[in-house]
């Protein structure tokens, strides 16, 4: 069974930066699709950025040019670098991994709070 442990959230002023990490433990067969989602208070969870095993990264328009998703396969860790943070970025952020195409396996991190406020 795979578990995803998130870290890196916190309180930051507008214009500041944070880097979120998502470390996978247990047996994982692959990284067919990985991504970061966020849930703003009072709204539904939304996709922020995705990184397929093969293919290009994809970003929500609201974060494009400010956020960068990356993965360190040797460490089984997914990252989200967040720069030029805005108050509207305030949310709980979740990482997600789907190991294989054709499998129902899908894993989520526990969530980490990011608050952008002056």
């Amino acid at each position: 069974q795979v578990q995803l442990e998130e870290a890196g959230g916190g309180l930051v002023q507008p214009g500041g930066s944070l880097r979120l990490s998502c470390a996978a433990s247990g047996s994982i067969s692959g990284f067919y699709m990985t991504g970061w989602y966020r849930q703003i208070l009072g709204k539904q969870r939304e996709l922020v950025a995705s990184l397929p095993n093969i293919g290009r990264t994809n970003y929500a328009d609201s974060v494009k040019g400010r956020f960068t998703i990356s993965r360190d396969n040797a460490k089984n860790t997914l990252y989200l670098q967040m720069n030029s943070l805005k108050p509207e970025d305030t949310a709980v952020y979740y990482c997600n991994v789907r190991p294989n195409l054709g499998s129902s396996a899908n894993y989520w991190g526990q969530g980490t709070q990011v608050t952008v406020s002056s």
Side-chain angles (χ1 to χ4, degrees), residues 47-115:
L47 179 66
V48 175
S50 62
L51 175 59
N53 180 49
I54 299 175
R56 298 171 60 184
T57 56
N58 187 57
Y59 298 93
D61 288 342
S62 59
V63 307
K64 190 174 182 180
R66 300 187 297 117
F67 290 11
T68 303
I69 186 172
S70 62
R71 188 173 68 239
D72 186 335
N73 290 332
K75 297 181 179 179
N76 280 356
T77 301
L78 187 70
Y79 300 96
L80 184 67
Q81 178 66 47
M82 304 183 294
N83 299 326
S84 302
L85 283 161
K86 304 175 180 179
E88 51 263 46
D89 295 319
T90 296
V92 178
Y93 286 72
Y94 300 88
C95 61
N96 175 261
V97 175
R98 184 180 180 184
N100 303 104
L101 177 65
S103 173
S104 62
N106 188 259
Y107 303 99
W108 291 91
Q110 80 278 10
T112 184
Q113 176 71 47
V114 172
T115 302

Side-chain angles (χ1 to χ4, degrees), residues 5-28:
E5 184 176 352
E6 297 186 34
L11 175 65
V12 65
Q13 293 188 109
S17 298
L18 286 173
R19 189 175 77 159
L20 307 183
S21 64
C22 173
S25 62
S27 298
I28 188 164

Side-chain angles (χ1 to χ4, degrees), residues 36-40 43-49 60 62:
W36 287 93
Y37 294 73
R38 69 184 181 189
Q39 188 164 15
I40 297 171
K43 298 184 178 181
Q44 291 191 319
R45 190 174 300 184
E46 63 180 3
L47 179 66
V48 175
S62 59

